[in-house]
Amino acid sequence: MTTTTTAAHAVPIALAGTRERPITRVFRAIGVQNISLIAAIIALAAAIGSQNSAFFLASNIKTIGMAVTISGLLALVQTVVIIMGGIDLSVGSVAGLASVTSAMIFMNAGSIASVLGALAIGAVCGVISGCVVVFGRVTPMIATLAGLIAFKGVAQLVSNGRAQGYTGADPFYVFLARGTVLGMPTLILVLIIVAIFIHVMLSYTKVGRNIYAVGGNDTAARLSGININRYILGVFALAGTIAALAGILITARTGSGQPISGSEGLEFQSITAAALGGVALRGGKGSIGGTILAVILLGILLNGMSLLGVNPFWQNLAQGTLLVSAVIIQQVRNGERRVGLPK
């Protein structure tokens, strides 16, 4: 009888001993990667603020938020592409083409037509890249590298390499560039809405689960009945559409369509942010929260370098260093063999 009582109470006692503390559950929910990014953001902000107190002004914080909107949009959709097991090097060129297109259409048909036209062209560019991957059996890196060059060439051809149109007096474009909603800048609000949409898609829908499955193991995904080709086309179409949205915001901020200026190098910023945010470059793993934190970290870094009078050319070096560091950290965590080391 005594033995039975002891055994009956043994399980609850053992469970009580292994019950997680609330703070442990919070840390596990946030994730080690995100906690590291938050710590890095705090440390970097403190370091910059100690050198220039203007960093903590509300106006400067707002400037950082508005400055990261365009690169943030591309980083969000780059995250989806990489989770699926691909990469999109053409998003910057698509943004430039959409910027030119939106301004040129605006001059003839108004703001709404210009937005819809630019988004349509972005989707078409994405579908073209997807078709090259699916039907041409070309790797996403090569297919979108070709797109980077080709779409930039189209933007230069239709614009003769010059800025096009003027949207600075149009109420809609002015609202996009400098408007607010309940005190929040429209640019930041657009980024938040897109981030929520993609997060919900990836985390709470069948489409999102299948995207992770394709990136994790495309063979297993195919055998389970997932139409991989359809997902490739759909994700690249989404990438082109969001890149076009970024191009529309470039037009709004500059007041004209920019074939290259404003979009140059955005593809590499998006990849850096995604990798820094913990997205596995081999696919199948990543989160929108980590990408957003990485975008904020990059925004603070670039803003701080400007405030401290650092030569702008160092910005590219800093981003390249962060990208390499992020990849090395991923490999170490996953136990992957680095090139050049013995087995």
Side-chain angles (χ1 to χ4, degrees):
M1 190 73 174
T2 305
T3 305
T4 304
T5 304
T6 304
H9 287 284
V11 174
I13 291 173
L15 290 176
T18 58
R19 185 176 299 168
E20 286 185 335
R21 297 178 180 179
I23 188 66
T24 303
R25 289 199 297 270
V26 171
F27 281 167
R28 188 148 57 87
I30 296 174
V32 175
Q33 178 75 25
N34 291 348
I35 291 174
S36 300
L37 287 170
I38 292 171
I41 288 171
I42 294 173
L44 182 60
I48 296 171
S50 66
Q51 299 298 314
N52 191 327
S53 59
F55 175 81
F56 291 113
L57 293 177
S59 58
N60 188 59
I61 302 299
K62 179 180 176 181
T63 297
I64 294 174
M66 296 176 69
V68 302
T69 297
I70 294 170
S71 61
L73 286 172
L74 299 183
L76 289 174
V77 79
Q78 191 73 255
T79 296
V80 180
V81 176
I82 295 176
I83 287 175
M84 187 190 64
I87 197 167
D88 194 341
L89 299 177
S90 69
V91 288
S93 295
V94 174
L97 177 58
S99 176
V100 168
T101 302
S102 64
M104 295 178 72
I105 295 176
F106 169 78
M107 298 301 292
N108 295 286
S111 56
I112 301 303
S114 71
V115 170
L116 295 177
L119 292 177
I121 285 178
V124 169
C125 290
V127 170
I128 290 173
S129 294
C131 285
V132 173
V133 174
V134 170
F135 301 110
R137 299 185 181 275
V138 177
T139 62
M141 178 176 289
I142 299 302
T144 57
L145 178 60
L148 180 154
I149 301 168
F151 299 145
K152 182 185 294 184
V154 173
Q156 291 172 316
L157 281 172
V158 299
S159 65
N160 290 319
R162 299 192 299 269
Q164 295 292 312
Y166 178 70
T167 63
D170 180 71
F172 177 76
Y173 277 98
V174 170
F175 173 71
L176 281 181
R178 296 185 291 277
T180 59
V181 177
L182 299 177
M184 178 175 291
T186 309
L187 287 172
I188 298 177
L189 183 61
V190 170
L191 177 61
I192 292 173
I193 292 173
V194 173
I196 292 174
F197 166 74
I198 295 180
H199 171 70
V200 170
M201 181 191 74
L202 288 176
S203 302
Y204 302 105
T205 70
K206 181 180 178 180
V207 171
R209 291 192 295 272
N210 288 347
I211 289 173
Y212 278 104
V214 172
N217 189 324
D218 59 347
T219 301
R222 183 180 291 106
L223 293 175
S224 68
I226 297 174
N227 189 327
I228 294 180
N229 291 346
R230 184 180 299 171
Y231 274 89
I232 291 173
L233 290 172
V235 167
F236 275 108
L238 176 66
T241 303
I242 301 301
L245 176 59
I248 292 167
L249 297 184
I250 291 173
T251 302
R253 291 191 64 184
T254 60
S256 60
Q258 302 292 330
I260 297 178
S261 177
S263 61
E264 190 77 32
L266 287 178
E267 53 280 324
F268 299 109
Q269 289 184 30
S270 68
I271 295 169
T272 300
L276 197 60
V279 180
L281 296 182
R282 291 180 178 271
K285 179 182 177 183
S287 71
I288 294 302
T291 298
I292 287 293
L293 289 173
V295 167
I296 293 172
L297 178 63
L298 286 172
I300 290 174
L301 175 64
L302 299 182
N303 177 265
M305 293 176 75
S306 297
L307 285 179
L308 299 178
V310 178
N311 189 322
F313 295 125
W314 283 99
Q315 295 182 6
N316 290 332
L317 176 61
Q319 291 183 71
T321 302
L322 284 174
L323 177 57
V324 171
S325 301
V327 173
I328 291 175
I329 291 171
Q330 281 189 20
Q331 290 179 326
V332 171
R333 284 180 176 175
N334 296 333
E336 297 176 2
R337 175 178 176 267
R338 273 80 67 199
V339 175
L341 293 180
K343 294 182 179 179

